[in-house]
Structures are given as C-alpha cells and as structure tokens.
Amino acid sequence: MNGRGRINFGGPSISTQKAPSRSSSSTSTQIDTPSDTESCLSSQDMPPKINVNGSVNGAANGMEKLSVNGEGKKKRIPNIRKQSSAMLPPFIVSAPGKVIVFGEHAVVHGKKAVAASISLRSYLLVTPLSKSKRTISLRFPDINLSHTWDINELPWSTFADPSKKKYYYELVTDLDPELVAALEPHLENVSKGASEDMRKVHRNSASAFLYMLLSLGNPEFPGCQYTLRSTIPIGAGLGSSASVTVCLASALLKQIQTLAGPHRDMPPDEVRLQVERINRWAFVGEMCIHGNPSGVDNTVATQGRAVVFQRSDYTKPSRVTPLWNFPELPLLLVDTKQTKSTAFEVAKVGNLKKAHPAITESILHAIDKVSEAAAELISREDFDSDELSSIEELGKLMTINHGLLVALGVSHPRLDRIRELVDHNGIGWTKLTGAGGGGCAITLLKPGVPQEKLDQLAETLEEEGYEKFQTTLGCDGVGVLMPAVLKNGIDDDHGGEEIDQDKFLNADGIEGVEELVGVHGEDGPREDWKFWRVEE
C-alpha cells in the first residue's frame, strides 16, 4: 500500500448512570427553517499536562510522541498561547459525509472495506458573543434543534477533577461514566416537546457537544452560538453524525487555540498531527452518539479522501489505513427512499452464514478480495482518474461487489432498478452502499457522459420517487473559513460577503446552503476555504 500507515481506534460502550439530581438553567425551543434534509496517538510518553491557558506542570516544552503512518516520532509541542482577550471573529468549519465504496457486510465479519468521503457536507457557523453573555447555544435547524445553556451552570469542576481531566493531545478510547452522568441534568430539558425518537437524536447531539466542550474548555470559555446546516441526508448511512462531530471538535480546538492554520506551507507532519487531533476528539463525540463506533466515519470526515478499514477482532481496536492519494471522482448518489434496518440486514447475512457457512464465507472472502484489488488499483502510479481505462477497471470491481451483495440477499428491487437505468443508458457502474435493503446506491460516472443522458436519468429517477445527488467521491476533509467571509474573487480592498446568522439560517435547503457557503462555487473551488491536506 505504498507505505501508507495505520491508525487504530477503539470504542467500548458507555454507561449512562444517573448523577445526583441537579437543576440546569437551560432553555430549549423548536425552530423552523426551510430544508431539504433531515487512530490514535498513544497516551504513553505524553508531555506534562497543559491547560488551555498555557500553564505547564513541570516543564515549558514537553515532547509529544506522535505515531502516524506506522512510525513513532518525537514531536515538540508548540508553545500554547494564553487565550486572547479579544474575541475570535465568526468562522465556519465544514466536514464531508462518507460512503462505503467496497466491502459492505464482509467488514462485519472481519474483512476489509474501503470508505471514501463525498462532497455532501456539514457546515458549522461559530458566532462568539459579547463578554457579558455567558451562554452557549446549539442551533441545528435541519433537525429542528435549538438549546441554550448557562456556561456558569455547567459541571466544569467534575470534568476538571485531576482523576478525570483530559487534554487536547490525549487519547480517549472510552467515556467516563461519572462524566456522562454529570451531563444528565443538563440534557433533561433538551427538546422536551419533541417526539421521543427526535428527542433522542437531539440529546445525542447535545451530549456529544457538551462532553467535548467540558473536556477541552474551562469555566472562562466565551459565550458562543454554534449553528449547523447540513447537506447530508440523515439516517442514510452517509456518516452525517460523524460529519457533525468533526465540525464541533474542530471548532472547539480552534477556539482553545490548539490548531494552527490550515495553510499551504504547513509541514506534512504538522498537518497529520492536527488532523489526528481533530479525529481523536470527533471520535469522542461519536462515542457519545453511538456508544461503540468503529472510528471509520470520523476518520473519513476528518482527513477526507479514503481509507481501508478492518476490524478482525472486536476485542481490539480497528485498523484504518489512509489512502491519502485517493482521487476525486464524479459520483451519482441515489437515495431509494426505501426505509431499511441495518440490524435486520446484518442479521440476515449472519443467519445465512449459519445455514450455509462454507458458501457464505466464500462470498465474504470474494468481497474482501474485491476491496483489496480496489485499494491496490487506486494506489498504482499508472492509475489515472481522467482515463476511461482506469475508471472502467474500478467500475467493474463495483459491479462485481454489487453482484456478491445480491448473492448475500441484501439488495432490494429499488436498488436494482437504479442499476438497470444506469446500465441501460451507459452512464457508469452502480452498486448499493451501506447495509442494503433500501438506502442508497452509488454510481461511478463514466468520463464524458453527455449532459442530456444525465438529465434524462434524473427525470426518470424523480418520476419514480428517488432522490438524486450529483457529488464527488474522495473530496477534501475538514476545512475552515476564517473569518466567515467569502470574497468570491473580490480583492481585499473591496471586502466580500460576510456570512451572518440570518443569512446562514435562511439559506433554503441543500441548494441554498451550498450556494451561500459551499466549498465549491459556480466557478470551482472557493479559495477562501482552507483545508488540512495530507499529500504523499
């Protein structure tokens, strides 16, 4: 794999035991906004603990042991500046969703899978408040979540206890039950009027945010509003929650001034270090939401591009191998709008394996070999994403993978209908993505497909009740727009368009959000957005 490294993740389940009853001065309201959407470093040999105000216990210049791409290195921690008394300007962070490109279901049985980022993204606007306002607010209008906490009422002392305190550079592989319990009184009023299913989603988002905030911040943390808009469909297996936790982790790490840049001249080792710092804390957020996540979704959302993922032993961390040079490829993502149950489809394959172990294992083994072949193909020096021959070879592997998933019984007539339409028009190569039984299909588009063919396919899909997203596979990971101003080619003397709360909240659906703040504008990438890019 050209020396590409491995990043390990864990993810044990969490306890939610109750803390002693305590009131929380927080408020929760529902809001309506137009919308179309619903690795780690070892904790050993770490430096003296540094708090966000820059104090160091024992030494001014600690050494951080960095393990990236399989090689341990000693890296000097940059001097930590005291938090500035001046407020940061409003800024935006963004992270992509993800799809499984190869290896569904086989990955559940210890085989490899290839996951890649897609250009559907979450966007988090961070708006600092005046010093006199001691509140923290979450506003996620796409899921109708709005909640405010009094900063002074949050359980800072519990999180700051010497036996509990975590620092921005540390590895956190499980959640502390006492800290989880300390959050409970501050989650009780979140979306009280919502349905239980929606309230669970809101509480999960709030708990992830509060756990990261209280771990990374301190009682002097500035008042702030965090407003999130997303272009990623929720519950479609596209990594929407990981995209959100990456945005939240990045924003908090920027605010405590432990992330530099990103900028073009940043040394590669520093880029990897900062990407891993974001990734670790996004994983903490994922644990708050999912309990025992694999770590693959937050990894892809943080670094972008693609990874090879494998978890052969569920008592040990997952193994994630970054594919830093995965090319950007045109992708058609189609949502069948058919409800599905991941647990049901996984159980279906498990039952098939019990009934026909040899046959099922041979299918899973074949899927594993397809994933390996795809990773090797993309890693070859002669792979050219602009050449039909290279894309065709990759597309054929997608076709094989889908056929093997059909043999496992996890496809659906609406998924197969998408393949029929795409094949009939000679547009590309299609397979299901995720658990199957509904959900989404992805199509790798052939180079040079006439627009009229794409328009005809889009019309047919709409008539038959599908939802289509024309996107990019293997895009950039987490990025920052700081300050929240888009110049759109305007020189510094003429300023640019400031993205304020009203504009952000009133952007109409996916198209409106992308038009307002998307990392790609009508004329291509917007240069105002900056990314931590890892090149090889």
Side-chain angles (χ1 to χ4, degrees):
M1 297 295 296
N2 290 344
R4 290 168 171 78
R6 290 171 176 172
I7 302 173
N8 289 330
F9 293 88
S13 59
I14 64 175
S15 168
T16 56
Q17 66 189 65
K18 290 283 184 180
S21 178
R22 176 184 175 186
S23 62
S24 172
S25 55
S26 59
T27 59
S28 182
T29 57
Q30 288 193 327
I31 55 177
D32 293 305
T33 300
S35 175
D36 290 338
T37 67
E38 285 176 68
S39 70
C40 293
L41 305 187
S42 170
S43 59
Q44 299 175 350
D45 301 325
M46 281 298 184
K49 293 191 173 182
I50 303 173
N51 66 30
V52 295
N53 291 321
S55 63
V56 181
N57 296 328
N61 292 311
M63 298 293 291
E64 183 169 9
K65 186 175 181 182
L66 171 64
S67 178
V68 177
N69 291 341
E71 297 179 2
K73 298 181 181 179
K74 292 267 186 169
K75 181 132 186 117
R76 189 169 297 278
I77 295 179
N79 290 329
I80 307 302
R81 296 174 296 172
K82 290 186 177 182
Q83 283 189 328
S84 172
S85 58
M87 289 192 302
L88 287 173
F91 65 96
I92 302 176
V93 289
S94 177
K98 75 94 181 62
V99 293
I100 303 295
V101 190
F102 298 97
E104 293 89 344
H105 287 283
V107 71
V108 177
H109 298 272
K111 313 298 184 184
K112 300 177 194 69
V114 177
S117 59
I118 54 173
S119 56
L120 300 178
R121 305 180 70 94
S122 294
Y123 295 89
L124 180 72
L125 172 63
V126 181
T127 309
L129 303 177
S130 65
K131 290 184 180 180
S132 62
K133 293 186 178 180
R134 302 293 297 148
T135 60
I136 290 280
S137 297
L138 280 186
R139 299 188 73 181
F140 292 3
D142 298 321
I143 60 172
N144 215 27
L145 166 62
S146 180
H147 196 87
T148 298
W149 294 269
D150 185 325
I151 294 174
N152 298 326
E153 294 294 324
L154 294 173
W156 296 103
S157 60
T158 306
F159 277 75
D161 184 282
S163 66
K164 306 291 183 185
K165 179 62 183 171
K166 298 296 181 182
Y167 294 83
Y168 69 90
Y169 51 77
E170 289 188 288
L171 165 64
V172 180
T173 57
D174 56 9
L175 302 182
D176 188 310
E178 291 183 31
L179 299 184
V180 172
L183 294 181
E184 281 298 313
H186 306 275
L187 299 173
E188 287 177 358
N189 293 329
V190 173
S191 302
K192 269 195 168 179
S195 67
E196 280 306 308
D197 286 345
M198 185 54 68
R199 193 163 183 238
K200 181 179 179 181
V201 173
H202 291 184
R203 282 171 55 94
N204 284 344
S205 298
S207 67
F209 170 70
L210 288 180
Y211 200 101
M212 288 190 283
L213 169 68
L214 290 162
S215 297
L216 294 168
N218 66 24
E220 302 306 313
F221 200 85
C224 203
Q225 288 185 341
Y226 299 86
T227 308
L228 185 124
R229 302 297 306 273
S230 179
T231 67
I232 308 170
I234 293 174
L238 302 177
S240 60
S241 71
S243 177
V244 172
T245 60
V246 169
C247 286
L248 291 171
S250 304
L252 293 170
L253 289 166
K254 285 293 283 185
Q255 287 182 285
I256 66 171
Q257 301 182 38
T258 58
L259 291 178
H263 55 79
R264 294 177 182 175
D265 299 326
M266 186 176 287
D269 281 353
E270 184 65 24
V271 174
R272 288 187 174 92
L273 173 65
Q274 296 203 18
V275 164
E276 200 47 47
R277 188 169 294 162
I278 296 167
N279 194 22
R280 265 178 259 153
W281 282 100
F283 181 68
V284 173
E286 281 285 89
M287 286 192 288
C288 292
I289 294 172
H290 297 296
N292 187 23
S294 67
V296 67
D297 284 14
N298 51 277
T299 302
V300 174
T302 303
Q303 71 178 37
R305 306 307 173 198
V307 300
V308 178
F309 172 80
Q310 186 174 22
R311 194 171 190 176
S312 53
D313 185 346
Y314 274 75
T315 66
K316 297 178 180 179
S318 311
R319 186 169 57 188
V320 181
T321 306
L323 297 174
W324 301 113
N325 289 337
F326 192 94
E328 288 196 54
L329 300 168
L331 189 77
L332 187 67
L333 174 70
V334 180
D335 189 347
T336 63
K337 312 299 283 187
Q338 174 68 41
T339 57
K340 48 91 178 176
S341 166
T342 298
F344 178 80
E345 299 301 325
V346 169
K348 185 190 296 184
V349 175
N351 291 333
L352 185 67
K353 190 174 182 180
K354 289 178 182 177
H356 304 283
I359 295 172
T360 305
E361 179 58 33
S362 68
I363 297 172
L364 297 173
H365 178 74
I367 293 174
D368 186 49
K369 291 302 178 184
V370 170
S371 298
E372 286 182 0
E376 290 171 4
L377 171 65
I378 291 164
S379 301
R380 283 187 347 211
E381 290 186 3
D382 62 348
F383 182 85
D384 187 345
S385 59
D386 294 325
E387 289 291 331
L388 176 59
S389 57
S390 291
I391 297 300
E392 189 171 30
E393 196 171 347
L394 189 64
K396 287 179 178 178
L397 290 173
M398 291 177 66
T399 300
I400 294 170
N401 197 163
H402 182 80
L404 293 168
L405 291 168
V406 171
L408 290 176
V410 297
S411 190
H412 186 275
R414 284 184 65 78
L415 288 166
D416 293 326
R417 173 60 173 160
I418 298 168
R419 287 200 65 228
E420 178 186 344
L421 291 170
V422 170
D423 288 349
H424 178 73
N425 287 281
I427 288 172
W429 301 268
T430 298
K431 65 177 289 293
L432 69 83
T433 183
C440 295
I442 54 174
T443 296
L444 179 63
L445 295 172
K446 284 184 179 179
V449 175
Q451 187 59 46
E452 53 267 27
K453 278 194 172 185
L454 293 174
D455 292 342
Q456 182 181 354
L457 175 63
E459 184 178 338
T460 303
L461 290 171
E462 185 177 1
E463 289 174 354
E464 297 187 15
Y466 294 94
E467 186 172 11
K468 174 187 71 69
F469 304 88
Q470 197 155 338
T471 181
T472 301
L473 187 69
C475 62
D476 279 312
V478 62
V480 178
L481 179 67
M482 189 171 191
V485 176
L486 283 168
K487 296 178 181 177
N488 293 322
I490 300 173
D491 59 52
D492 290 338
D493 293 337
H494 293 84
E497 182 180 8
E498 182 177 348
I499 311 301
D500 58 22
Q501 282 275 341
D502 287 342
K503 287 180 181 178
F504 196 58
L505 286 169
N506 291 321
D508 189 5
I510 289 175
E511 293 80 8
V513 171
E514 288 292 346
E515 183 179 350
L516 180 66
V517 297
V519 300
H520 282 78
E522 292 182 1
D523 300 323
R526 283 170 160 158
E527 293 185 359
D528 301 309
W529 279 98
K530 308 299 180 187
F531 300 90
W532 285 275
R533 290 192 174 113
V534 179
E535 305 289 350
E536 284 196 348

